[in-house]
């Protein structure tokens, strides 16, 4: 692949083949992110895995450039980020408003919101990227991968060489194959899907339990989030299952199977305690960023005005954004489908008497609040990284504002039974704003990568729009498929044992219901909020007294809110990943080995998630809950032991292989 040309040199950049490769990667990574996000409450960054894969493909073609490779990862990254819409949109299923995801409505929300997110970040690029000293951790890391892959930096560190070479691709591919095959065997029931036990505590009827899901995707996310996030999630699980479930099962005794009783107590009471903790932690994270966001934006805008000089063709290629006039036209055009969707939704939901107010007010709400959240999310992503940016906090604030405005503006003039429709409308309009926030949270990272590899901003911005549209096409059918196959926790008529947790969507829909219908037990939210305040104080004390030990309150809240089938394997992955990195530090090529571990983890997530979507399709079309099963329930006890031993053995073999490859790279 050609090295980086100068800013004015001719080069292939926004090419048809690059867009096609980017869209193909998008189809895979977006579907994987949707499945995994609903299962674990987390999404994974797609930029670096996409860059590694595209480099391997483009190397086999003539005249490929680093800028073309950058376009590929930009398309894949935009669509992968748009999958964060799963943090809100399934709420319409959970509250019982939708029974499936209508394609054109869901596509309209994702596409209009996503394109708005791209447009709103364009005027922020110079202020927050070119004229800013924000670190942009993912953007810089991706640029280093692209540079080494292009052959520009032969003196680069071992880690970058690994990422840019064939070793990185091997790690992603092998991880994908291993996790996919293991998932298929689990579906045959030869391996158990989890290692679980529920039991009575004492003689007064208290219940508790644990559930280790034998999932390589969950294990991998533990590796990626790191030791202290994993420990924080473990603390959350202990609070829920060591105190809250036994406590509330004593307060609300119930007869029946101990597993059903424990899960029922957790679902009905403990989840809302966790929701209170998540809400407080997310809002606290946002509040901590208010001062740096405001001061950073003010100084960056001032620096941009001072620096700005050339216009039009006098600007170098690397400073040419999409013309602001076109940006304005596209923003206004996006408001047309937004207005139509809001009007259509208000009519079919029985709110027709207030259609004009809801449409005009809704468009203004989207127009203004979207720009505000774009600015905040863009700055937060540059400051602490897209993966660490508290998007859930944005969703919480937006849905509360939307619900309060609906209560103040229209609820008093509507029949008493219109509360459910108002909840659905609040979630609907929040979905649009959240799509904007999700894209803005990532786009400036991509533009930072582009700046470092001498990309043309307007071409990258066009690629971002294409990535959004590709993602908007993929997300609705995948969501609909997963809803039909498994359902979402808390939705009417869904089996909690097989439902996807969809934690953020459950929390945001519960808050919308609580504000509009006043039907939530606020005492449970209050208990969780108090725990959140205590965790914030504890984390601040740790930050002031130790260098590395932290207890992120948001991660603790997730550990409380998510089922142990999700959290405990993430904890295991975090501990194993930490141990692997500590061992890697003793080797001559420590960074190379650790980065191979990261790429292996990315592959583990992609492989299981894609096969999970395919199995969901088989479930739907076959009409059987376990269409791949080869053995019956009588094999269950044996499958637990066989599956657990196989999981440990495969994990040991993979990490040993990665460590050896890192030493030899």
């Amino acid at each position: 692949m050609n090295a980086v040309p100068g800013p004015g040199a001719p080069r292939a950049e926004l090419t048809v083949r690059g867009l096609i490769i980017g869209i193909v990667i998008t189809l895979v990574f977006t579907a994987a992110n949707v499945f995994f996000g609903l299962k674990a409450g987390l999404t994974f960054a797609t930029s670096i895995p996409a860059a590694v894969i595209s480099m391997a493909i483009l190397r086999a073609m003539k005249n490929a450039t680093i800028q073309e490779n950058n376009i590929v990862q930009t398309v894949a990254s935009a669509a992968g980020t748009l999958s964060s819409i799963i943090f809100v949109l399934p709420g319409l299923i959970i509250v019982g408003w939708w029974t499936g995801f209508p394609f054109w409505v869901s596509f309209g929300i994702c596409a209009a919101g996503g394109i708005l997110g791209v447009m709103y970040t364009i005027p922020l690029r110079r202020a927050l990227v070119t004229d800013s000293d924000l670190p942009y951790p993912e953007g810089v890391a991706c640029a280093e991968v692209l540079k080494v892959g292009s052959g520009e930096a032969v003196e680069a560190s071992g880690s970058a060489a690994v990422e840019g070479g064939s070793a990185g691709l091997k790690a992603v591919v092998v991880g994908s194959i291993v996790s996919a095959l293991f998932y298929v065997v689990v579906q045959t029931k030869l391996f158990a899907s989890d290692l679980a036990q529920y039991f009575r505590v004492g003689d007064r009827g208290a219940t508790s339990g644990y559930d280790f899901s034998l999932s390589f995707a969950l294990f991998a996310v533990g590796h990626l989030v790191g030791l202290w996030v994993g420990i924080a999630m473990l603390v959350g699980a202990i609070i829920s299952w060591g105190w809250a479930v036994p406590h509330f099962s004593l307060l609300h005794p119930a007869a029946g199977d101990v597993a059903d009783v424990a899960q029922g107590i957790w679902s009905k009471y403990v989840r809302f305690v966790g929701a209170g903790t998540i809400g407080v932690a997310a809002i606290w994270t946002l509040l901590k960023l208010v001062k740096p966001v405001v001061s950073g934006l003010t100084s960056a805008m001032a620096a941009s005005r001072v620096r700005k000089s050339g216009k039009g063709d006098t600007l170098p290629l690397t400073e040419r954004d999409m013309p602001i006039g076109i940006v304005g036209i596209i923003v206004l055009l996006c408001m047309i489908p937004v207005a139509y969707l809001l009007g259509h939704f208000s009519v079919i939901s029985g709110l027709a008497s207030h259609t004009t107010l809801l449409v005009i007010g809704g468009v203004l709400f989207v127009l203004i609040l979207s720009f505000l959240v774009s600015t905040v999310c863009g700055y937060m992503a540059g400051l602490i990284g897209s993966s660490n940016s508290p998007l859930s906090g944005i969703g919480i604030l937006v849905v509360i504002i939307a619900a309060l405005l609906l209560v103040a503006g229209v609820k008093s003039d509507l029949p008493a039974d219109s509360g459910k429709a108002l909840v659905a409308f609040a979630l609907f309009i929040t979905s649009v704003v959240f799509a904007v926030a999700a894209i803005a949270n990532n786009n400036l990272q991509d533009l930072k990568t582009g700046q470092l590899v001498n990309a043309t901003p307007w071409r990258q911005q066009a690629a971002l729009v294409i990535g959004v549209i590709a993602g908007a096409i993929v997300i609705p059918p995948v969501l609909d498929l997963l809803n039909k196959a498994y359902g979402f926790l808390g939705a009417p008529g869904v089996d909690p044992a097989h439902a996807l947790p969809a934690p953020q969507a459950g929390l945001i829909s519960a808050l919308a219901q609580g504000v509009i219908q006043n039907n939530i037990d606020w005492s449970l939210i209050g208990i969780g909020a108090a725990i959140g305040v205590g965790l914030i104080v504890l984390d601040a004390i740790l930050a002031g007294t130790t260098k590395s030990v932290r207890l992120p309150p948001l991660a603790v809240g997730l550990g409380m809110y998510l089922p142990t089938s999700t959290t405990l394997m993430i904890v295991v992955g975090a501990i194993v990943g930490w141990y692997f990195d500590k061992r890697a530090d003793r080797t001559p090529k420590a960074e190379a080995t650790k980065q191979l571990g990261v790429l292996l983890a990315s592959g583990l997530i992609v492989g299981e998630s894609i096969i999970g979507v395919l199995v969901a399709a088989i479930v739907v079309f076959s009409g059987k809950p376990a269409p791949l099963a080869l053995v019956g329930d009588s094999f269950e006890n044996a499958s637990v032991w066989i599956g657990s031993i196989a999981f440990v053995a495969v994990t040991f073999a993979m990490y040993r292989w990665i460590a050896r490859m890192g030493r030899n790279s």
Side-chain angles (χ1 to χ4, degrees), residues 280-317:
V280 167
I283 292 170
W284 171 248
T285 305
L286 289 173
L287 290 175
K288 286 196 301 180
L289 292 171
V290 168
K291 184 177 179 180
V293 165
V294 172
S295 61
L297 281 172
T298 303
S299 60
M301 293 292 186
S304 183
R305 285 194 297 268
V306 170
R307 183 180 178 278
K308 191 175 180 181
S309 55
K311 293 183 179 181
D313 292 337
T314 62
L315 285 174
L317 282 175

Side-chain angles (χ1 to χ4, degrees), residues 325-346:
I326 293 177
V327 171
I329 291 171
I330 294 175
V331 168
L332 293 176
L333 289 175
C334 283
M335 290 302 157
I336 295 173
V338 169
Y340 172 78
L341 289 169
L342 294 176
H344 175 71
F345 194 89
S346 63

Side-chain angles (χ1 to χ4, degrees), residues 65-238:
T65 66
I66 188 173
Q67 288 79 23
E68 187 178 18
N69 205 340
N70 179 55
I71 289 294
V72 175
Q73 74 83 19
T74 296
V75 173
S77 175
T81 301
L82 188 61
S83 61
S84 295
I85 195 69
I86 62 171
F87 293 166
V88 182
L89 205 55
L92 289 162
I93 302 285
I94 293 172
V95 300
W97 188 258
W98 279 355
T99 57
F101 294 89
F103 177 80
W104 288 111
V105 175
S106 303
F107 170 82
I109 291 171
C110 295
I115 292 171
L116 277 174
V118 176
M119 294 302 111
Y120 279 155
T121 54
I122 290 173
L124 297 174
R125 187 191 66 83
R126 281 196 182 130
L128 295 183
V129 177
T130 303
D131 300 322
S132 170
D133 58 358
L134 291 170
Y136 288 101
E138 290 101 335
V140 172
C142 190
E144 289 304 310
V145 173
L146 291 171
K147 287 178 181 179
V148 175
S150 72
E152 180 200 61
V154 291
E155 73 284 357
S157 68
S159 65
V162 162
E163 290 175 322
S166 60
L169 182 62
K170 281 182 185 176
V172 174
V173 171
V174 169
S176 299
I177 293 172
V178 168
S179 64
L181 289 176
F182 194 91
Y183 188 84
V184 169
V185 178
V186 166
Q187 297 307 305
T188 67
K189 295 195 173 183
L190 293 172
F191 292 174
S193 61
D194 56 359
L195 177 63
Q197 185 175 359
Y198 296 91
F199 43 82
R200 300 283 180 182
V201 181
D203 56 2
R204 297 175 57 195
T207 60
S208 188
Y210 60 83
D211 189 342
F212 287 86
S213 176
L214 299 179
S215 163
F216 275 114
L218 293 172
F219 176 89
V221 84
H223 184 130
L224 295 177
V225 300
L227 178 65
W228 290 109
V229 171
I231 295 298
M233 294 185 78
L234 176 61
V235 170
I238 291 172

